[in-house]
Amino acid sequence: MTTTQQETHHQAVVLQHKGLITLEEKPIPVLSDPHYVRLQIKKTGICGSDVHYYKTGAIGDFVLKAPMVLGHESSGVVVEVGRAVTMVKVGDRVAIEPGVPSRYSDETKAGRYNLCPHMAFAATPPYDGTLVKYYLAPEDFLVKLPDHVSLEEGALVEPLSVGVHAAKLAEVRYGQRALVFGAGPVGLLTGAVAAAFGAKDVVFVDVHAIKLKLSTKFGGTHAVDASRIVGEDNLVAEIERVLGGEQPEVVFDCSGAEPCVRAGIKACKAGGTYVQVGVGKDDVTVPLTAIGTKELRVQGTFRYAFGDYRDAVRLISDGDVDVKPLITHHFKFEDAPKAYDFNMNFPSEVIKTIIDGPE
C-alpha cells in the first residue's frame, strides 16, 4: 500500500507572510514522475535564509507573494520509488539536495547547474520547502548516507556543500593559509573544508566569542575577535600578527559585511584568491587598487554544483569534517514556529537548530 493510500494530508510548516509561521494541513503530493521518489523527512536544519524570509519577506529578487513551506536542509528515508528509479530503494537514508535545475538550460548543459535561471529551489519563492512529512525529489539529487552517518549529520550536508563548493572554487592547496570572516554555520564549515583540503592555518574572524570558541572544532588554528578591534586596517594587522607576519593565500568572506569584505581583500596575500560566500548589501565599496596591484583572483560562489553533495557526505563519512558540534538546539516539528522565533531573537546563542520529524 502506498503512502497516499494510507494518508491524504500531512502537516507543513508554512510561512504565511512576513512575520507569521503556522502549522497547516496540506495534501500529500502525488508521485507521478517515474524518476522521482517519495521521502519521509526526518531532520531539517534552520537556515539563515529561512529566518530572513520570516523577518523581511524577501531575499533580493526572491519575494514572498504567497504562503510557502519552509525548510531546505533536510535528510529523510525513501518510502516510495517511481517505476524507473534505480539509484535508491525503499528504506535508504539520504541527504536531499534541495535545488533542481532545468534539464535544458545552457547553464545546466555547461555543467554549472547551480547557475540555472530556472532552478526550482526548496523554500525559495515560489517553491515549497521540505518541512513536511512527505517530500518528492528526483533520484539523482539524493545521496545515500552510510550506516554510520546519522540523519542529523545528513541534514547538515546542505550547508557543508556550500563550503565544499567554495573551497573547490578557491582551489585550496596543501600548506596554504586560509582566512574566514564569519563563524556562523557556513563560515565554520567552509573553514573545516579548507582544513580538510590541506590548509595548514585557518583563521576565523567574528564578533561573537561563543562562535570563535567553537571554531577550534572546525579546523580553526587562530581566532580573531573583531569586536575588540577598531578599524579595518587594525583588523588586517591583527590577522597578520596571529599568522606570524604572514598573509593568507585564500580568503573566504562568509559574513557579507562590508568591513569584512574590505579587510579580506586587504589581508589577502599577493596573487591570492578572495571568495565571496556570504550575502550582504547589493552594493559595497571595495579597495579596488589592492585587487589590481596584488593581482587577486576575486571569485563569487553560489550554493553548490555537481559532486559537491557527494563529496560533503564523504567528508563526514571519512571523519574529515565533524558537523555534529554545529548543532546547538533541537525542536520538535510541532514547535517549529517557536524554533524560528528562537533563532531570530537569539542569534548569538544559536549555531544550528535541528527540527525533528514529523513522525
Side-chain angles (χ1 to χ4, degrees), residues 160 163-165 167-168 172 188-198 218 315 321:
L160 179 57
V164 169
H165 190 61
K168 287 180 180 178
V172 177
L188 290 170
L189 293 173
T190 298
V193 175
F197 280 16
F218 292 89
L315 285 169
V321 175

Side-chain angles (χ1 to χ4, degrees), residues 303-338:
R303 294 174 180 157
Y304 26 77
F306 177 72
D308 294 333
Y309 243 71
R310 174 202 61 206
D311 292 343
V313 170
R314 186 175 299 153
L315 285 169
I316 295 172
S317 177
D318 292 349
D320 294 321
V321 175
D322 183 6
V323 297
K324 295 188 292 293
L326 207 69
I327 302 169
T328 54
H329 297 82
H330 292 81
F331 283 83
K332 295 179 180 179
F333 188 85
E334 56 267 29
D335 294 327
K338 295 179 183 178

Side-chain angles (χ1 to χ4, degrees), residues 216-230:
T216 59
K217 297 182 179 181
F218 292 89
T221 56
H222 307 280
V224 175
D225 186 346
S227 70
R228 301 174 181 270
I229 301 171
V230 178

Side-chain angles (χ1 to χ4, degrees), residues 137-159:
E139 60 174 327
D140 56 334
F141 279 74
L142 304 174
V143 179
K144 288 191 283 188
L145 300 175
D147 291 342
H148 64 281
V149 175
S150 70
L151 286 162
E152 284 192 343
E153 291 171 294
L156 296 181
V157 170
E158 197 277 341

Side-chain angles (χ1 to χ4, degrees), residues 282-299:
D282 287 344
D283 298 298
V284 300
T285 60
V286 298
L288 192 61
T289 299
I291 294 173
T293 57
K294 292 197 288 185
E295 287 195 353
L296 299 184
R297 182 164 66 100
V298 178
Q299 174 71 59

Side-chain angles (χ1 to χ4, degrees), residues 98-134:
V100 180
S102 164
R103 309 295 177 144
Y104 309 105
S105 71
D106 289 346
E107 292 80 3
T108 299
K109 292 177 182 177
R112 305 179 75 185
Y113 68 74
N114 57 314
L115 303 181
C116 175
H118 312 296
M119 175 74 74
F121 198 88
T124 299
Y127 303 104
D128 282 335
T130 57
L131 271 171
V132 289
K133 185 172 184 178
Y134 297 110

